[in-house]
Amino acid sequence: MNFVFISPNFPDIFWQFCDRLSRNGVTVLGIGDAPYDGLRDELKSALTEYYKVDSLEDYDAVFRAVAFFSFKYGKIDWLESNNEHWLSNDARLRRDFNITTGVQPDELALWQSKSAMKPVYRAAGIPSARQCKVTDLAAAREFLDEVEGYPLFAKPDTGVGADDTWKIDNDAQLEAFFVEKSDYPYVMEEFITGDVYSYDAISDSNGDPLFESSFICPNVAESVNSGLEVLYYITDKVPEQLRDLGRKAIKAFKVKNRFTHFEFFRLTEDRKGLGKAGDFVGLEVNMRPAGGYTPDMINFAHSTDVYKLWADMVCYDSLTQAGQGVDRYCVFASRKDAFTHTHTHNEILDKYGSRIVLCERMPDIFAAAMGNQMYTAVCDTIEEAREFAVYVLDEQAEIVTPALFR
């Protein structure tokens, strides 16, 4: 099998996808914009060959790289980046090289546009927040009347993560949004009060999940926009209602042969037209693995190897391994330098010792979303998980609440 992996070196953990493919006997061909000498040794060992382009944004250059691999190694069976930024280019390359094992360009609208997602949710019976496309201030005021007042939430119609999102609480902020927003399309939604639950899955060629996991975090966009510290954790099991809605979403969005990251709100108060406190509401779908170190955290929580599970899906359309131990909680707590804390770095390491599985100073470019100094620990119980979060971030940290660890 010939597999072209786009940008195998970024994010940094993605070398493991290439490594597991290689261990399964796959010819892994990398295309990236980093010099070969700058690649980590493990990635070099996993790649059969690497083709450097000046920019992955240059479609013609990437096309020539795939054409070179096709000429040298024969038919390309798979092409993937597992990166939402390259989703469109991946699909275009599949079409141009007749690679049928992934999504094609004409299928992308449901995956990339937040406004296009809404009818799919409705058809699948998944509740989601009311939404309108942003046109002008008058239309926004009409939508405000429809949802019976503030707050509103505005975000780019296409985009990843919590960047360029706006919580709008009053008329002055609404008017400022239309003055200050960028030129690309936005959508506006009623603001939902709730914690975010992910539904992370690896699906086979029939759209059936081979593996499922979930994390819980506060409202990410609100935390980023408010400059709060960062906390989330992998649960020991996927809640039953979330699992059922996640599986419906996989089918509704026609997901096959992918590692996906779907997000849902769990309501913290009753919401007319959506559900009661504790119910799940569709937020958005992301056709990629969860960001940051989440794949590694899933491994720690479930005693598994999601990189291997994904590679097995590619090669065998099934799994050759599953979890190998008990299911636990894996907690990510990341401090921001702007906050003061009770316990020192060394005190955290001394108290939690081997339970800390990741400890790293985060690059400045990720600090707003991921904090400056992160600590990730494996815990046996939900009580231990909350204790760890409070010890690292302190009880006064606004996002550390008993409700998040119920």
Side-chain angles (χ1 to χ4, degrees):
M1 176 187 292
N2 295 323
F3 192 113
V4 172
F5 204 108
I6 306 295
S7 188
N9 61 301
F10 185 85
D12 182 61
I13 63 172
F14 276 21
W15 69 268
Q16 297 180 83
F17 288 117
C18 297
D19 175 77
R20 306 313 190 268
L21 286 172
S22 178
R23 294 188 191 190
N24 278 0
V26 174
T27 298
V28 187
L29 307 166
I31 301 174
D33 54 11
Y36 179 77
D37 289 344
L39 304 181
R40 60 190 302 155
D41 290 340
E42 298 94 335
L43 177 56
K44 290 178 182 178
S45 297
L47 295 176
T48 302
E49 189 166 350
Y50 179 73
Y51 191 116
K52 180 188 178 299
V53 295
D54 290 335
S55 171
L56 287 171
E57 302 284 356
D58 184 346
Y59 183 81
D60 290 340
V62 179
F63 179 94
R64 288 192 294 272
V66 179
F68 170 78
F69 285 147
S70 180
F71 174 78
K72 184 172 181 179
Y73 294 96
K75 179 75 170 65
I76 304 301
D77 301 293
W78 281 75
L79 183 145
E80 185 58 75
S81 66
N82 276 341
N83 191 320
E84 201 140 1
H85 183 75
W86 305 118
L87 199 61
S88 296
N89 279 359
D90 290 352
R92 187 177 171 190
L93 288 164
R94 292 190 197 100
R95 178 198 63 197
D96 291 348
F97 287 91
N98 193 30
I99 302 168
T100 59
T101 49
V103 67
Q104 303 298 311
D106 59 354
E107 301 173 298
L108 281 182
L110 297 183
W111 291 12
Q112 293 185 304
S113 167
K114 294 178 176 64
S115 57
M117 293 175 188
K118 291 297 180 179
V120 181
Y121 278 135
R122 285 195 295 271
I126 300 173
S128 63
R130 287 171 288 183
Q131 181 192 88
C132 72
K133 291 186 178 181
V134 170
T135 54
D136 55 27
L137 182 58
R141 292 193 187 282
E142 288 183 12
F143 181 67
L144 182 66
D145 291 339
E146 178 187 339
V147 298
E148 301 175 357
Y150 296 106
L152 300 175
F153 190 73
K155 55 188 176 182
D157 193 18
T158 60
V160 180
D163 292 338
D164 199 15
T165 58
W166 301 64
K167 183 186 177 187
I168 301 170
D169 291 308
N170 52 53
D171 288 344
Q173 291 179 3
L174 183 64
E175 293 169 4
F177 165 74
F178 279 95
V179 172
E180 299 172 17
K181 72 177 183 67
S182 300
D183 292 333
Y184 44 76
Y186 286 78
V187 294
M188 193 169 286
E189 296 182 347
E190 59 181 322
F191 187 83
I192 303 297
T193 302
D195 297 324
V196 174
Y197 280 62
S198 76
Y199 173 78
D200 300 283
I202 298 172
S203 303
D204 66 14
S205 60
N206 294 316
D208 296 321
L210 299 172
F211 175 81
E212 299 164 299
S213 182
S214 177
F215 72 61
I216 304 173
C217 66
N219 187 314
V220 180
E222 190 171 10
S223 296
V224 171
N225 291 338
S226 301
L228 300 178
E229 294 187 298
V230 185
L231 169 67
Y232 72 101
Y233 66 95
I234 308 295
T235 63
D236 62 337
K237 58 182 178 296
V238 181
E240 184 176 355
Q241 185 191 16
L242 176 64
R243 183 199 63 211
D244 293 343
L245 292 178
R247 291 178 179 180
K248 284 183 179 179
I250 284 178
K251 294 294 186 180
F253 285 95
K254 301 178 181 178
V255 177
K256 298 178 181 179
N257 294 127
R258 290 198 74 82
F259 199 148
T260 50
H261 171 67
F262 294 179
E263 293 180 352
F264 293 79
F265 280 123
R266 189 174 194 180
L267 299 177
T268 51
E269 58 186 39
D270 295 353
R271 185 79 179 198
K272 183 180 177 181
L274 289 179
K276 296 186 177 297
D279 289 344
F280 289 95
V281 173
L283 175 55
E284 64 184 49
V285 300
N286 300 285
M287 301 301 172
R288 55 168 173 82
Y293 292 100
T294 305
D296 292 329
M297 291 173 61
I298 293 172
N299 288 343
F300 290 126
H302 300 299
S303 304
T304 192
D305 181 348
V306 294
Y307 307 104
K308 169 66 171 169
L309 303 184
W310 176 84
D312 286 351
M313 175 273 293
V314 169
C315 295
Y316 315 122
D317 204 26
S318 62
L319 303 184
T320 61
Q321 70 158 69
Q324 299 173 344
V326 297
D327 294 315
R328 298 179 292 176
Y329 301 84
C330 189
V331 187
F332 179 101
S334 188
R335 293 176 164 184
K336 291 188 175 180
D337 292 345
F339 288 77
T340 58
H341 300 93
T342 302
H343 304 290
T344 68
H345 173 75
N346 287 335
E347 285 174 336
I348 293 170
L349 299 184
D350 288 344
K351 180 176 177 63
Y352 286 97
S354 62
R355 282 189 284 175
I356 293 181
V357 290
L358 295 170
C359 177
E360 185 173 319
R361 184 77 182 173
M362 302 300 289
D364 290 343
I365 192 174
F366 299 133
M370 302 297 289
N372 297 105
Q373 175 64 52
M374 71 87 153
Y375 305 88
T376 303
V378 174
C379 302
D380 291 327
T381 68
I382 195 67
E383 292 77 18
E384 289 177 3
R386 183 173 187 276
E387 179 189 89
F388 170 75
V390 170
Y391 193 86
V392 173
L393 299 181
D394 296 307
E395 291 189 48
Q396 72 268 20
E398 294 181 50
I399 60 172
V400 182
T401 63
L404 193 64
F405 289 89
R406 55 183 175 276

